[in-house]
Amino acid sequence: MSGTNIPYLKDPLGNEHLLEFDVTHLGRSVENEIVIISNRASREHASIRRDGRKVFLEDLGSTNGSFLNGERVLGSALLRDGDEVMVGEVVFVFHDPDTTTRETPFPELEVSLEAGEVRLNRRLLALSPKEFALVTYLYENRGRVCSKDEIGRAVWVEYQSGIFDYQIENLVRRLRTKVEIDPNAPMLLVTVRGLGYKLVGKSDG
């Protein structure tokens, strides 16, 4: 990108589509600013609207829907840097240069026991049963260091005998690949050497 702060969409071929207008239209018709070559795209499918520093995706009553991070958009939805926008069968990645110039935002982790869902920055994660058990246990005890013994009893309730350290370490490693932006520099799921693991929030540090 040039030294501009205009938000843009990157298509699967790596082309960058600047969102320089107040409203950018996406669809199959050549009248759109971004033309979608897909049979699943409507002629006037979706629009992206800039309102000050905020950018919104809006579906224009398309037949097959517009999707944000895999979920159908009803009405309009606020876009954030790194969001995936699917129109027709084409997936774009939204980039906001303003956010990349600031410090890395703290990841937002949401755990819903009722729905059995875990979301990272609003994006639904696909977790194994053990990964879900681990993240929910740590989430319920967030801010507190959980020992490996406690984690073993909570996650492997079917075992009466002890769980080996390597099993817990491998599970933590797998979970980090899904909940951390950089698994090698964890911000959420941190190791407290000699004590165990802790799930931290913005205010925990």
Side-chain angles (χ1 to χ4, degrees):
M1 284 291 296
S2 59
T4 177
N5 279 347
I6 297 174
Y8 62 95
L9 293 180
K10 182 176 279 190
D11 67 26
L13 298 177
N15 300 311
E16 296 174 359
H17 305 268
L18 289 177
L19 304 170
E20 50 194 332
F21 304 109
D22 288 340
V23 180
T24 300
H25 299 89
L26 301 88
R28 209 171 67 241
S29 169
V30 293
E31 279 79 33
N32 293 287
E33 285 81 19
I34 300 177
V35 178
I36 309 294
I37 303 172
S38 167
N39 291 332
R40 292 184 61 80
S42 298
R43 289 181 59 78
E44 296 177 356
H45 196 108
S47 68
I48 292 181
R49 176 172 50 86
R50 294 179 61 184
D51 183 0
R53 295 174 64 94
K54 294 182 178 179
V55 183
F56 296 88
L57 169 68
E58 189 166 345
D59 185 77
L60 299 177
S62 65
T63 303
N64 294 305
S66 304
F67 292 80
L68 174 61
N69 298 326
E71 294 200 4
R72 189 164 185 159
V73 172
L74 302 173
S76 65
L78 178 67
L79 293 178
R80 297 180 185 175
D81 188 63
D83 278 347
E84 290 185 353
V85 174
M86 187 169 80
V87 175
E89 295 168 314
V90 182
V91 177
F92 297 88
V93 178
F94 173 73
H95 290 284
D96 183 355
D98 274 349
T99 59
T100 56
T101 58
R102 297 194 288 271
E103 63 179 73
T104 303
F106 198 88
E108 290 181 34
L109 189 70
E110 302 169 70
V111 178
S112 171
L113 290 172
E114 297 77 18
E117 292 179 349
V118 178
R119 294 174 183 273
L120 180 67
N121 295 337
R122 302 187 301 168
R123 196 167 303 181
L124 188 63
L125 302 180
L127 302 179
S128 71
K130 291 298 184 203
E131 289 166 350
F132 182 76
L134 174 58
V135 75
T136 52
Y137 177 73
L138 292 173
Y139 189 79
E140 289 172 334
N141 291 279
R142 57 190 179 278
R144 182 177 76 80
V145 180
C146 300
S147 70
K148 288 181 178 178
D149 284 344
E150 290 173 322
I151 291 171
R153 287 195 299 271
V155 176
W156 282 270
V157 290
E158 69 273 23
Y159 288 109
Q160 298 302 314
S161 55
I163 297 300
F164 293 109
D165 281 0
Y166 78 86
Q167 292 173 277
I168 296 170
E169 290 160 6
N170 285 342
L171 183 61
V172 167
R173 196 175 301 119
R174 290 201 304 273
L175 183 59
R176 276 181 176 151
T177 65
K178 298 181 179 180
V179 303
E180 297 287 359
I181 296 169
D182 179 0
N184 295 316
M187 298 171 67
L188 280 169
L189 177 45
V190 299
T191 301
V192 181
R193 196 168 299 282
L195 296 176
Y197 300 98
K198 179 171 73 166
L199 192 70
V200 299
K202 280 184 184 180
S203 58
D204 297 322

